[in-house]
Amino acid sequence: MVAGVLLVAFVVYLAGAPHQSDDFWFHLAMGEAFASAGPWLGADPLLHTAHPTDPVPHEWLFDALLSVLESGVGLGGLRVVHAGIAALAFWLAWVVLRGARLGRSTAAAALAVFAVLVWWRIFQLRPELVTIPATLAFYAAALAPDRPIGTRRWLAVGALVALWANAHSAFLLAPLLLTAAWIGHALVWALARGPMAAPELAARHGRAVAGLTTGLAVVWLGSGLNPRGFAQHTTYWSLTEGAVMPALDDWLPLSLLHWVDFGAAMGPLEWALAHAVLAAFLGTATWAGIEFLRRRDAASLERLQLPLLGVALASSIAMVVAVRFLWLGLFPLLFALSWAPVRARADALGGRIAAVVVAWALVLAFATAGRYAAFAVLDPRAYTALHFSASKYQPSGVAFLQRCGVRGRLFNAYHQGGFAAYWLAPDLRTFIDGRNEAYPPSVYRDFQQITARASTPEGGDWLDVLEDRGVDLFFGSGLPLGSDPAGVRVSTTRHMDGVPGWTLVFRSVDVALYLRANERNRANLERVAACYQRDGVPFDPAVGFSPARVAEEALSWGVENGVLPLHYEALRRAADGAEAAPRQAALNQLGLLHALLGDDEGQRRFDERLAGEVPGARQPRRRLVLGALRQDEPERAARVAAGLQRLAPRTPLDRALPQAVREYRALRRRNPNAPWRARAAVDRWPVLSREDAVRWLAGRFREPPLARRSADAPPGS
């Protein structure tokens, strides 16, 4: 019991962590619209690239309830609700397992298996948090009872399905699982009435068939009580037809013959455990089937558990079709453990010991091999201090736009769309978010071209796409950690540097806000200038925002608003100190910081000092190569790169930097009047590693407060 409880408690702890699901934010933002206007909105309230028709309200009730809850308890309160729903799901799973008369040790081990298979779905505050407990409650209420179900119970089940159908498209699990159980009961009834000649068994399952027939009618009628009627039943197919982008993680099928990296949706542990569950189910079902065919009597037919076999088979198919349904492995596992010969062995002393060993093995495996570590907030101080991941969503840029009241059309990163929309819409409409059904496929193609700074099939380039889409504000985001093969999390902070017709209005290490310089945005530029004037921050509308001037003339503002790190002043003092080691460490951090801020002159000043003091220092020389290219000085870059080649041992990055110089020169020759186009060759090279990002930047910046819809709140609230 202890191991199962520990694993469940940890997954519930993960569920209550700061919000990290990108989709959570657009559900919250859409919920505000649904709560005030109902399911039919007329037009999308968040995107400026959306279809010109009504947003499909296939999850409208979940969104609306989420918004109502947030308005009452805040983002922190939603974390508590999230953890509570996770705990409810595990309690319902326990009810299902114990309802099958499994022993405590066996049920606890099965619950641990369920925890590993379900954690990724429960970790995210998304509509699956309706589907998972609803499925378990539906099974316990409609499919598990041995006795006939009364009218009141069916009406309650119908009400559950009606609510479910308005909250999440996966409500189809209810009629599908019910149909699978109906077929199982019907087969038992037919066999018991005919070849088996078991009238009592036939009568019992005949009553079950009649009851489930009533249940099917109730479930189908209840599921039709939604704004879209029975069109809601085809949501998965209608919304994926002509999909905007391919499924990258949890819509992929389970690979049965070899391991495929599914990302966070399923790691090796979940993959192996899913296979173990499927193997146990198939082995037990085969064994039970052989016994029935050999004996052909009522007792072996009853032990075959055909209704549960049908539910387990349907669940197994769902697991194989898409890894997002791995949690349905509870039902194949339930079938395997509740088959009489297995249950008898599990209830014996050896079986109870084996169950304890399995549960503790899963605890150890999850602790060491689980992919939760990339998302978990294990530090208690961080767990309670913020209600979302600041490093993921760049709230400093969002807070600036909110504070200055900028309006218009935004270009944003894919993962950031929901977050930005929640805080900024409808004044600023976003370009893209995770609702792939909300916009035509051309929007995602345009997003990819802009992110990759690529040419269009029609012969234009990514700047033409921004123009055609009427983008007013470019929200560059992300640290320059190198290229991302998927093209989704590419850093775009330097995309607009030096591009004519765009003005930098805010900059931090991972945010670059550029406003289009045209008549339409004159009022926006005036808002920004007035905002800076009010705060006493230097800003020239003709030149744009200067992090270097902020560091010299408005240091306190820069620190308070996340432009400069909390220890910036201490770094400057240490860089001028007498002790060599602290001075050189400070110079290295300052060189990196100013490179990330796009202050090429400041970066050069600090890195040349450090390179002069430490002849073998690699990091400042690498930054000097890239900085020289960014300042359109390829000859200086070539000299520094050649010097790097003389340092031993040469690293792969050091050997590759001359290639960066050659690429820049080639692009520069092709674009003699547009040096900013050649910088694309520079920006694909990493300025820092992920390890250095954690070491030098994590926890070093203050995030400015974001105003909640109802009241002011501290950062991340």
Side-chain angles (χ1 to χ4, degrees):
M1 282 282 299
V2 175
V5 170
L6 280 176
L7 194 49
V8 165
F10 185 63
V11 175
V12 171
Y13 173 86
L14 291 178
H19 302 292
Q20 297 201 51
S21 170
D22 302 336
D23 292 1
F24 161 74
W25 298 102
F26 69 66
H27 283 298
L28 198 55
M30 288 296 292
E32 187 175 46
F34 286 133
S36 61
W40 298 114
L41 302 178
D44 192 280
L46 311 181
L47 296 162
H48 62 83
T49 55
H51 291 294
T53 55
D54 261 314
V56 179
H58 58 104
E59 297 164 343
W60 78 276
L61 186 59
F62 173 83
D63 295 354
L65 290 175
L66 194 68
S67 177
V68 170
L69 280 170
E70 190 276 334
S71 65
V73 301
L75 293 177
L78 279 183
R79 292 174 56 190
V80 176
V81 172
H82 187 178
I85 296 174
L88 172 64
F90 284 116
W91 177 77
L92 288 168
W94 178 257
V95 168
V96 167
L97 292 166
R98 292 289 284 159
R101 296 186 292 278
L102 300 183
R104 285 182 176 273
S105 297
T106 305
L111 193 65
V113 172
F114 177 67
V116 174
L117 295 178
V118 80
W119 83 268
W120 176 243
R121 309 314 309 175
I122 275 186
F123 171 70
Q124 304 174 78
L125 186 44
R126 297 171 59 179
E128 281 86 351
L129 282 188
V130 173
T131 285
I132 293 169
T135 301
L136 297 170
F138 177 80
Y139 179 87
L143 303 181
D146 292 331
R147 61 186 183 279
I149 300 173
T151 303
R152 290 185 179 179
R153 170 89 52 105
W154 278 125
L155 289 176
V157 168
L160 169 67
V161 173
L163 291 172
W164 189 0
N166 284 272
H168 192 212
S169 304
F171 73 92
L172 273 178
L173 287 173
L176 292 177
L177 295 181
L178 187 58
T179 301
W182 185 94
I183 293 172
H185 281 293
L187 285 174
V188 175
W189 172 78
L191 290 170
R193 193 177 178 210
M196 300 296 102
E200 183 181 345
L201 185 62
R204 179 151 46 89
H205 284 273
R207 289 192 295 271
V209 168
L212 292 186
T213 302
T214 301
L216 280 170
V218 170
V219 165
W220 280 101
L221 288 173
S223 62
L225 298 177
N226 67 82
R228 303 177 65 224
F230 289 101
Q232 185 82 325
H233 297 67
T234 62
T235 296
Y236 278 131
W237 294 272
S238 61
L239 295 187
T240 55
E241 185 178 351
V244 167
M245 62 181 292
L248 297 177
D249 45 38
D250 50 4
W251 275 111
L252 290 171
L254 176 65
S255 58
L256 295 175
L257 301 179
H258 62 281
W259 158 247
V260 174
D261 192 344
F262 289 85
M266 186 180 70
L269 174 61
E270 293 85 356
W271 180 84
L273 193 58
H275 280 68
V277 168
L278 291 173
F281 164 63
L282 292 175
T284 308
T286 302
W287 188 2
I290 291 172
E291 183 198 51
F292 168 70
L293 292 174
R294 181 168 51 85
R295 299 181 59 177
R296 296 180 181 274
D297 59 13
S300 61
L301 176 60
E302 187 75 356
R303 282 200 297 271
L304 191 53
Q305 308 177 97
L306 281 176
L308 179 54
L309 176 61
V311 171
L313 182 60
S315 300
S316 299
I317 293 171
M319 292 173 66
V320 174
V321 167
V323 297
R324 71 185 299 127
F325 294 119
L326 286 187
W327 58 273
L328 285 171
L330 181 71
F331 297 116
L333 182 62
L334 180 65
F335 175 86
L337 294 176
S338 60
W339 188 50
V342 173
R343 184 164 55 200
R345 289 173 173 81
D347 289 341
L349 177 61
R352 295 199 300 272
I353 293 174
V356 171
V357 171
V358 167
W360 279 109
L362 285 174
V363 170
L364 180 62
F366 193 72
T368 56
R371 294 198 167 181
Y372 68 87
F375 309 93
V377 181
L378 302 179
D379 181 354
R381 291 172 298 179
Y383 191 89
T384 56
L386 296 176
H387 295 318
F388 56 80
S389 173
S391 62
K392 186 177 185 181
Y393 297 115
Q394 292 85 36
S396 61
V398 175
F400 171 80
L401 295 173
Q402 197 178 61
R403 189 169 61 252
C404 294
V406 178
R407 299 179 176 89
R409 296 181 169 192
L410 188 72
F411 176 82
N412 56 276
Y414 181 85
H415 75 279
Q416 196 181 35
F419 182 84
Y422 171 70
W423 297 104
L424 300 173
D427 290 342
L428 267 174
R429 300 292 184 102
T430 49
F431 188 92
I432 196 169
D433 60 31
R435 296 174 298 144
N436 297 333
E437 76 280 0
Y439 42 85
S442 60
V443 173
Y444 188 72
R445 289 196 296 269
D446 287 352
F447 164 77
Q448 287 183 306
Q449 287 167 348
I450 295 168
T451 301
R453 291 188 275 199
S455 299
T456 66
E458 295 77 21
D461 67 9
W462 58 283
L463 293 174
D464 297 325
V465 177
L466 288 172
E467 176 69 32
D468 293 343
R469 291 288 181 181
V471 171
D472 300 301
L473 193 85
F474 187 95
F475 196 128
S477 61
L479 293 168
L481 302 175
S483 300
D484 172 17
V488 175
R489 295 292 175 93
V490 173
S491 172
T492 56
T493 47
R494 293 179 176 269
H495 271 35
M496 307 302 292
D497 285 3
V499 176
W502 293 84
T503 303
L504 179 68
V505 294
F506 180 82
R507 190 70 159 86
S508 70
V509 295
D510 60 352
V511 173
L513 300 179
Y514 281 87
L515 183 68
R516 187 185 292 277
N518 59 11
E519 185 61 32
R520 188 176 71 226
N521 284 291
R522 179 190 295 273
N524 275 332
L525 188 59
E526 290 173 353
R527 291 185 187 101
V528 170
C531 194
Y532 281 127
Q533 185 177 22
R534 184 169 61 250
D535 292 345
V537 177
F539 177 75
D540 184 347
V543 177
F545 182 78
S546 169
R549 288 190 65 189
V550 168
E552 296 299 329
E553 303 174 38
L555 176 60
S556 296
W557 183 92
V559 171
E560 289 295 322
N561 288 273
V563 177
L564 302 170
L566 297 168
H567 64 312
Y568 184 82
E569 193 170 11
L571 284 176
R572 293 295 295 264
R573 287 197 303 269
D576 295 328
E579 295 186 39
R583 181 177 65 251
Q584 291 162 9
L587 286 171
N588 186 48
Q589 290 187 55
L590 287 167
L592 171 62
L593 176 66
H594 282 262
L596 294 175
L597 287 170
D599 176 20
D600 297 318
E601 280 297 332
Q603 172 260 319
R604 178 179 180 179
R605 185 170 64 254
F606 292 118
D607 281 341
E608 285 184 343
R609 280 183 59 191
L610 180 56
E613 286 193 27
V614 185
R618 298 177 183 276
Q619 289 184 339
R621 286 174 169 79
R622 292 168 184 161
R623 291 193 294 265
L624 284 168
V625 172
L626 299 177
L629 294 178
R630 291 187 55 75
Q631 291 183 290
D632 199 25
E633 298 181 36
E635 290 74 18
R636 177 164 64 89
R639 289 195 301 272
V640 180
L644 265 173
Q645 308 311 302
R646 293 190 288 271
L647 297 179
R650 289 193 299 165
T651 68
L653 179 58
D654 297 336
R655 289 194 296 269
L657 281 176
Q659 178 186 343
V661 177
R662 290 192 294 271
E663 289 177 356
Y664 180 87
R665 282 172 165 162
L667 283 172
R668 192 70 178 87
R669 284 193 295 271
R670 290 201 295 269
N671 300 278
N673 299 318
W676 50 272
R677 290 190 182 275
R679 289 177 188 164
V682 184
D683 294 343
R684 73 182 185 88
W685 297 92
V687 175
L688 79 168
S689 66
R690 296 184 186 277
E691 294 75 15
D692 284 342
V694 173
R695 184 199 306 176
W696 300 120
L697 303 178
R700 303 296 183 95
F701 290 83
R702 176 174 289 130
E703 297 298 342
L706 287 166
R708 285 179 55 194
R709 302 302 178 92
S710 55
D712 290 342
S717 66

